[in-house]
Amino acid sequence: MNTEFLKEFVVLAETKNFWEASERLYMNQSTLSKHIKSLENELGVDLFTRTTRRVELTSYGHTFLPYARTIARTEFEGTSAINRLQNVENGLLTIASIPSMPQYQITMFLAQFQQFHPETTVRITEDDSNNLTDYLLNETCELIFTREDKLTFEKNFLTNNQIMHIPYVKDRMVALLPKNHPLAGEESLTLQQLKDEHFCFIKEGSLMHDMCMEACQNAGFIPDIIFTSHRIDSILDMVTNQDCIALLMDKHTEFPDKGPTQINVPWTTVPILPEINSQISLCYRADNPLSDIAKKFVDFCTTRLFG
């Protein structure tokens, strides 16, 4: 039985429309129709009843659908596992990371590693910390650079036996204000002093958004958020041009080593008190053996970080 026909059957069962299914499968309708008919002939039953616009599953189709899904999913998982093993054997290092990698010198770290191991190819994916653990659990990546708030990091560092944490860098929350703001010259600020301001936050659903919302609520107010974005440069632009402030971590506004510099920036950062910290860690699964190249990277990082 052709497993490609099973995948096509599943898509047609979900869309109930040959045109939509063929579009999703990147094939023409006549080919899809022939494949489905071939599958029905092989099974000896009709899987669909056909009308001019839609198709509906027959009782045989309903019965067969969960098995077809299982076969298609199992084949995908099997081929994905083989591809991952081939990538590992060919020296591919898969890493997922928090955004703003240059500011946290993660890209520089990777470049230094590749200078020592030029045979290595590094594949990097950026995502929010709220999603990064899934990259380890579903084996999409071997290593992640992730952010945790202080309490979560301390708890996981001591008690999470499934995921190993190597502390990489700690940062702290700051208020980003236009240089002409009345509070721009302060050495530090409490969030209560900012309760009447318009705010820019990193996008909703991110760990940074959660941390900033919780901090403001703990200070006794709901922030007036007028802009959210996953792009730090967009937030800097809003602070510069729209008379609002942002809550970020101090590393977000640092210029990376050997990168471009900016003189006379039109904004300033002021630390928030009491301090609100987060910890960036290099993490990997403790219950899965690392590939040789991932072990080398962990050793490289450990040596650089702890001497």
Side-chain angles (χ1 to χ4, degrees):
M1 184 174 291
N2 190 323
T3 55
E4 287 299 319
F5 294 178
L6 295 180
K7 297 174 191 175
E8 293 164 12
F9 162 69
V10 171
V11 173
L12 183 58
E14 291 172 350
T15 61
K16 298 182 180 179
N17 182 283
F18 270 100
W19 179 85
E20 187 176 343
S22 63
E23 286 287 304
R24 188 184 299 185
L25 292 163
Y26 300 102
M27 61 193 307
N28 61 58
Q29 294 183 55
S30 61
T31 301
L32 175 59
S33 181
K34 289 176 183 176
H35 290 177
I36 297 299
K37 193 61 183 176
S38 177
L39 180 61
E40 290 177 323
N41 290 339
E42 188 170 358
L43 293 170
V45 296
D46 289 333
L47 298 172
F48 296 98
T49 56
R50 294 159 172 82
T51 66
T52 55
R53 293 190 176 184
R54 291 176 61 82
V55 295
E56 296 289 345
L57 287 167
T58 64
S59 57
Y60 296 111
H62 279 292
T63 299
F64 186 60
L65 181 58
Y67 298 100
R69 280 184 172 140
T70 299
I71 294 169
R73 182 175 62 251
T74 302
E75 183 191 36
F76 173 78
E77 291 172 352
T79 54
S80 296
I82 289 173
N83 289 336
R84 284 196 297 269
L85 182 57
Q86 287 177 324
N87 288 334
V88 166
E89 290 177 345
N90 291 330
L92 177 68
L93 179 62
T94 53
I95 296 178
S97 172
I98 58 170
S100 304
M101 289 195 300
Q103 288 88 337
Y104 287 90
Q105 300 187 2
I106 294 172
T107 45
M108 185 184 72
F109 226 59
L110 292 168
Q112 291 175 349
F113 175 73
Q114 287 185 285
Q115 288 178 355
F116 284 92
H117 298 279
E119 76 282 3
T120 304
T121 300
V122 181
R123 186 173 68 205
I124 311 168
T125 302
E126 276 193 348
D127 205 339
D128 187 74
S129 295
N130 283 342
N131 305 322
L132 287 176
T133 301
D134 290 340
Y135 286 79
L136 294 182
L137 298 180
N138 64 25
E139 300 182 23
T140 303
C141 293
E142 282 196 275
L143 305 169
I144 61 172
F145 282 97
T146 192
R147 180 194 307 278
E148 294 168 307
D149 63 72
K150 184 174 182 289
L151 291 177
T152 302
F153 167 74
E154 290 173 351
K155 176 184 175 182
N156 286 337
F157 187 77
L158 294 173
T159 64
N160 191 334
N161 296 320
Q162 185 181 14
I163 297 178
M164 296 296 295
H165 289 68
I166 300 174
Y168 175 65
V169 67
K170 185 171 74 171
D171 54 11
R172 63 179 295 182
M173 189 175 292
V174 295
L176 188 74
L177 304 95
K179 271 199 170 175
N180 60 358
H181 193 284
L183 298 175
E186 298 293 320
E187 292 187 2
S188 63
L189 290 168
T190 66
L191 286 174
Q192 184 61 221
Q193 289 175 270
L194 305 173
K195 63 184 179 66
D196 296 324
E197 300 286 343
H198 300 308
F199 284 90
C200 300
F201 276 14
I202 292 179
K203 66 176 182 177
E204 193 171 358
S206 67
L207 177 63
M208 275 301 304
H209 189 282
D210 295 343
M211 288 179 60
C212 293
M213 280 295 298
E214 182 179 8
C216 292
Q217 289 171 357
N218 289 341
F221 69 96
I222 302 296
D224 178 18
I225 303 170
I226 65 169
F227 180 73
T228 62
S229 176
H230 67 285
R231 294 176 58 94
I232 299 298
D233 57 346
S234 296
I235 292 176
L236 297 179
D237 183 64
M238 285 292 293
V239 170
T240 302
N241 295 301
Q242 295 296 324
D243 193 30
C244 54
I245 69 170
L247 295 180
L248 298 171
M249 307 308 285
D250 54 0
K251 297 289 184 185
H252 280 140
T253 59
E254 291 185 4
F255 293 100
D257 290 349
K258 299 181 181 180
T261 59
Q262 189 170 348
I263 302 172
N264 297 325
V265 292
W267 38 260
T268 188
T269 58
V270 182
I272 296 295
L273 288 180
E275 277 196 28
I276 300 170
N277 300 112
S278 75
Q279 176 69 51
I280 312 301
S281 302
L282 174 65
C283 300
Y284 60 92
R285 284 180 59 168
D287 58 346
N288 265 11
L290 287 173
S291 66
D292 289 342
I293 199 65
K295 288 178 185 176
K296 290 178 181 178
F297 184 76
V298 170
D299 291 342
F300 177 85
C301 292
T302 304
T303 302
R304 291 296 187 280
L305 293 172
F306 306 112

